[in-house]
Amino acid sequence: MERFDVLIVGGGPAGLGAALILGRCRRKVLVCDAGTPRNAPARGIHGLLGHDGLPPAELLRRGREEARRYGVTIRDVEVCDVRRSGHGFEAELADGGRVEARKIVLATGMLDVIPSIEGIIKYYGRGVYHCPICDGWECRDQPIGVLGPAHRAIRAALLLLGWSDDVVVFTHGPAALTDDDRRLLEKHRIGLRETPITRLEGDGEELSRVVLEDCEVVPRRAIFLKTGEVPRSDLPTKLGCKINGDGTTEAEFHGSTESEGVFVVGDASPRVQLVSVAQAEGAAAAVRINAILQAEDLASR
């Protein structure tokens, strides 16, 4: 069974950010990636210094190329299971392979909850978004919608006023709004539609309108989903990490968790979900892991 210093589960910006640093530290690293990045539908990554607007697939291609320069092994395979074994870990891969590692980095991310509404997948990444920080600029001064439970959607709608003064909250059904909620919406001239959505429409490339069950048509150039997210992987739970109420895994900025030797970075950690932050978390975890490995190596001499 091949043995690595570090097994990184997930080859997005967080995982590759960790791999790049660990490779430069001359560590033997394996990155396993299932090939389903969260931001794949996006046209470009925004807010990443030096790479603003770069397509997500191109960032990953460059990241893999750079990591491989330093001896990092990258495999397109899912990690099915990880268990403790001796002083490290043993991982089972979807292709039947098994590997051992001294430390584990989980960069497994989160999955967005996407409502079953006609047209929502068609315009996903082309008018249907999640993050105002990532995509608000491209929607500036356009009619914008927010879809989700009232308590989430109202907070997002207030934030989106920084990009547009034409914002409508869609609750896709009756909302339990308080009088304060309604006064807040009225004060900031935020529209509200509680009628269920029938479908999203556009020209095939760009979103243009929301059609409601009562046949009302609400022109919108963008819809931001606030429908929640769930963990992509159950590995943090299996390895004894603490899971927060929102599904993220409790971890320090450098990735340390309550489970010794297990590090969690990227969207699965309880921090801002931006590519730039994910990459930084991966790098910070790598620095910490290399220091731990170095201490162990010196102690064993």
Side-chain angles (χ1 to χ4, degrees):
M1 190 181 305
E2 193 170 6
R3 184 172 175 81
F4 294 86
D5 289 319
V6 184
L7 168 63
I8 300 175
V9 186
L16 290 176
L20 180 62
I21 299 299
L22 287 165
R24 287 181 56 83
C25 292
R26 306 189 72 180
R27 295 298 174 183
K28 188 176 182 181
V29 179
L30 172 63
V31 177
C32 290
D33 184 65
T36 54
R38 185 182 190 183
N39 64 352
R43 291 172 171 171
I45 297 168
H46 300 120
L48 183 61
L49 189 63
H51 298 291
D52 191 64
L54 187 72
E58 176 61 14
L59 180 71
L60 298 185
R61 186 195 69 77
R62 294 183 188 182
R64 285 183 167 211
E65 182 180 283
E66 291 169 355
R68 283 180 169 133
R69 289 178 199 164
Y70 300 104
V72 172
T73 301
I74 301 175
R75 297 180 187 171
D76 295 317
V77 63
E78 182 182 0
V79 176
C80 299
D81 194 18
V82 179
R83 62 181 66 87
R84 291 189 181 275
S85 176
H87 296 294
F89 301 87
E90 181 180 322
E92 179 182 338
L93 311 183
D95 60 6
R98 292 177 180 272
V99 297
E100 291 181 335
R102 296 166 66 184
K103 308 297 176 189
I104 298 289
V105 175
L106 300 178
T108 47
M110 302 290 284
L111 282 174
D112 297 300
V113 176
I114 303 174
S116 298
I117 296 174
E118 182 182 342
I120 204 165
I121 297 299
K122 182 176 184 178
Y123 292 102
Y124 197 52
R126 297 181 296 164
V128 177
Y129 309 107
H130 292 276
C131 173
I133 304 298
C134 300
D135 297 294
W137 170 265
E138 285 65 37
C139 310
R140 64 193 184 282
D141 302 322
Q142 300 292 318
I144 294 175
V146 184
L147 171 59
H151 66 285
R152 292 178 183 163
I154 290 174
R155 290 198 301 270
L158 292 169
L159 177 62
L160 281 161
L161 290 175
W163 288 274
S164 174
D165 58 7
D166 184 355
V167 181
V168 172
V169 167
F170 296 90
T171 58
H172 196 42
L177 294 176
T178 66
D179 290 340
D180 287 342
D181 289 334
R182 294 186 185 278
R183 280 193 289 268
L184 188 63
L185 292 173
E186 184 177 352
K187 175 183 178 181
H188 295 286
R189 298 181 181 179
I190 296 172
L192 173 66
R193 300 292 190 279
E194 297 181 66
T195 304
I197 297 172
T198 298
R199 63 187 177 276
L200 305 184
E201 294 183 342
D203 62 5
E205 291 297 326
E206 304 288 345
L207 177 68
S208 61
R209 54 194 171 271
V210 177
V211 180
L212 304 182
E213 201 173 74
D214 61 4
C215 296
E216 180 186 4
V217 176
V218 185
R220 295 293 99 178
R221 293 302 301 273
I223 295 290
F224 285 84
L225 301 182
K226 292 301 166 187
T227 45
E229 59 186 20
V230 295
R232 183 183 289 271
S233 171
D234 63 354
L235 291 180
T237 300
K238 286 185 175 181
L239 289 168
C241 299
K242 178 182 178 182
I243 308 301
N244 298 314
D246 60 0
T248 60
T249 303
E250 188 60 40
E252 302 295 331
F253 178 73
H254 48 64
S256 296
T257 69
E258 289 188 346
S259 184
E260 185 178 355
V262 179
F263 296 76
V264 173
V265 295
D267 287 356
S269 73
R271 270 169 290 281
V272 177
Q273 294 182 350
L274 292 173
V275 169
S276 55
V277 175
Q279 183 176 338
E281 287 185 20
V287 172
R288 181 63 174 267
I289 291 168
N290 184 64
I292 294 171
L293 291 173
Q294 181 70 4
E296 291 175 356
D297 292 342
L298 293 174
S300 65
R301 288 185 178 179

